[in-house]
Amino acid sequence: MSYVQQRGLPARVRRRRALLLLALVCTLVLILVLAIAGLLLRKPDPGGTPATGAQPCPSASAEVPSPDTIVVNVYNSTNRTGLARNTAKDLGTHRFQVGEVGDDPLAASIADVAEIRYGPAGEQAAKVLATRVRGARLVADKRTGTSVDLVLGERFSVVSPRSTATDC
């Protein structure tokens, strides 16, 4: 409606439209504030390692594998092209053995940093890898080997060197 047509409307109609517009804007601002507060106050998944907490360390009684004995499959669950390939190169410079590289075969949508999937035989290897991928969530599966899968999520940025990763 143009300005000329609005001037011809009664004052109470213009006032009602202005109040409706104000109510709509206030509602949208409230929704935005609640969404941001929900993201900031979101609790970590109780099934995994908290994204902001300390990383798990291999237990003292178990033999801690060295990175050069750990086979890591690197998968991308994001839309960021080349993320798995570049991360695999980084893991190689940190002496990890890299297995498969590509998109997540489970096609999971991971909003956090990453998931480290492992079987019972690869638990210690997964914990070692978790010291290098800060904020990754450990997820046990039924695989039989010692290999682990690193599935990169939306918040993944970098593989941490040993000196800055949580030391065990």
Side-chain angles (χ1 to χ4, degrees):
M1 192 175 269
S2 73
Y3 178 72
V4 175
Q5 289 174 333
Q6 264 193 331
R7 290 194 87 195
L9 292 176
R12 74 172 188 268
V13 172
R14 289 193 311 258
R15 200 173 315 125
R16 186 177 304 146
R17 284 185 179 172
L19 287 174
L20 285 173
L21 181 62
L22 179 63
L24 178 65
V25 169
C26 289
T27 302
L28 291 175
V29 168
L30 179 64
I31 290 171
L32 181 64
V33 167
L34 290 175
I36 291 171
L39 288 174
L40 293 175
L41 299 175
R42 191 179 83 206
K43 294 181 181 179
D45 180 13
T49 304
T52 57
Q55 293 297 318
C57 292
S59 65
S61 62
E63 186 174 321
V64 178
S66 92
D68 57 353
T69 64
I70 299 172
V71 176
V72 181
N73 300 314
V74 184
Y75 300 121
N76 187 357
S77 75
T78 72
N79 291 329
R80 293 162 36 196
T81 304
L83 183 62
R85 183 181 60 246
N86 293 335
T87 303
K89 288 178 188 174
D90 287 347
L91 287 171
T93 63
H94 291 280
R95 298 186 359 225
F96 286 91
Q97 291 184 34
V98 176
E100 295 180 25
V101 177
D103 290 332
D104 181 17
L106 300 182
S109 177
I110 300 172
D112 288 330
V113 175
E115 278 186 1
I116 299 175
R117 300 175 187 153
Y118 63 94
E123 182 176 6
Q124 296 303 318
K127 290 179 180 179
V128 169
L129 180 60
T131 65
R132 305 293 179 96
V133 183
R134 304 188 100 186
R137 184 169 48 108
L138 296 173
V139 178
D141 59 21
K142 299 186 186 304
R143 74 182 70 201
T144 57
T146 59
S147 69
V148 296
D149 294 348
L150 174 61
V151 186
L152 307 171
E154 294 296 332
R155 294 187 179 173
F156 176 80
S157 61
V158 68
V159 175
S160 300
R162 181 70 174 153
S163 60
T164 61
T166 303
D167 290 330
C168 298

